[in-house]
Amino acid sequence: MEAAMPCCDIRNMKFLGFPIGDIFGGVLLCFGVVTALFVSIAIMPELSWRGMAQGSATYKTAAIALRARDEVADRLDSYHTEYLKLLTDDAPNTNMLIRRDGLSKGIQDETAALAAAEAEVTRIRRDLSDGPAAVDALQLARHSWRWKCFDRATPDQLILLLTLLMGFLGGIISVARAFLTADSSDQPTPADYVIRPLMGIVVAFVFYLLVQVAQITLSTAGNTDKLNPIPIALIAVVAGMMANEALGAVDSWGKTLMARISTGTPADELKAMLAEQRKRLEEVTKKLPTSAPRDQTQQYKAAKPAHTAAEEALKRAEEAVKKAAADNSSSATVAAANAALADLKAKIAAAETLTAAIP
C-alpha cells in the first residue's frame, strides 16, 4: 500500500501542476523585495535627512527654514491648481466666485510668505560659515526619494517602523532559505508562511525595547543621542531570521534578571561596580611614578591631572552610590549613580592611557 503524503509537506503539494510550496515561497519573496525597496527608498532616506538635520546648529536652522519654504511652496502650488480649475469653469456660480476670490487672496499671501522663506534660506547661506554646505546637503537629501507622509513622524517612530519591517523581512528570509537547502527536516509547514514573518515582527519589537532599555541604562547624564538605525535594522532582521534562538536569548536574560531581582537590589550591583572601579584605579595609581622621570616631564604632567580627575570622579561615584542605597534604589538615584560610575570608568580609562605613555 502506498504511503500517504504528509499533510504538512506543502512543497510536495501541487496546484495546476505547480508545487504549492514554490508558489507560496515566490509570493513571500515578492513581499520581501517590496519591503526591502520600501525601506531603501522611503524610510532610510528620511532617517538620513533627519540625522543630517540634527548634525549641528546650522543644519538644524537650515532644516527648519527649508521645511517651512517647502510647505509654503506646496500650499501655493495647491492654490494655483485649484484657482486655474475655477477659471476654466464655463458657468461659475456665486460660491465658486467667492472661492476664487479667496484663492486669489491666498495666492498673494502665500507668495509673500514664500519670498520671506526664500529670504531666510538666503540669509543662512550668506551669514553662516557652513550655511551653503548645510543648505545644499539638506536640499539634496530632502528632495531625493522622500515621502511626504513621513514629514510629521518623529525619528523614534521611524526607527520603530524600520525595526518592525526588518523583523518581517527576517521572518521571510527564514522561510525562503529553506528553498536553498536539501535538508528535508528544515522545510516550512503551511503555517510557517504566515507565522514566521509575523513572529519576526514581534521578536524584532522585543529586541527594540531591549536596546532602548540598554541605552537608557548605560547612557551618561545628558546623553540624549538617538538610536543608530543601521545596527537596529541589522539586529531586527537577524532576530526575525532566528526567532526561536532570539526568544531563547530573551528567556535566558529574563530568568537572569528575575534571579537578580529576587536575590539583590540595584544598590548591591552599584556597590559591586564601584568596588571594581576603585580597585582598578588603585592599580593604575601604583603605576604612576611619584615624580616625573627624566626626559618624561610632559607625559607625567599629562598623566597627573588625569589621575586627579579620576580620584574626584571616584568621590562623586561613592556619594551617588551611597545616596542610591539610602533612597531604597529609586529610579532617579540609580540612574544618577550609573551616570557617575560611567564617568568614573571613562576617567580611569583616560588615566590608564596617559600612564601607559610614561616608560
Side-chain angles (χ1 to χ4, degrees), residues 158-231:
L158 290 172
I159 292 177
L160 177 56
L161 177 60
L162 172 66
T163 301
L164 300 181
L165 288 175
M166 296 308 290
F168 177 71
L169 182 61
I172 291 176
I173 294 173
S174 71
V175 177
R177 67 181 178 183
F179 292 86
L180 304 178
T181 177
D183 186 3
S184 59
S185 63
D186 193 33
Q187 301 307 313
T189 65
D192 286 338
Y193 288 88
V194 176
I195 292 177
R196 286 196 189 183
L198 297 180
M199 182 59 72
I201 294 175
V202 174
V203 175
F205 178 71
V206 172
F207 270 80
Y208 171 82
L209 295 179
L210 290 177
V211 173
Q212 286 278 22
V213 170
Q215 186 194 40
I216 294 171
T217 304
L218 300 176
S219 64
T220 57
N223 181 9
T224 57
D225 292 342
K226 299 295 182 182
L227 293 174
N228 189 326
I230 304 301

Side-chain angles (χ1 to χ4, degrees), residues 12-25:
N12 291 329
M13 301 179 185
K14 292 188 177 182
F15 176 75
L16 298 178
F18 297 98
I20 294 180
D22 292 350
I23 296 174
F24 282 3

Side-chain angles (χ1 to χ4, degrees), residues 292-302:
R294 182 180 299 177
D295 300 328
Q296 299 297 331
T297 304
Q298 294 298 326
Q299 291 88 333
Y300 181 80
K301 287 183 177 180

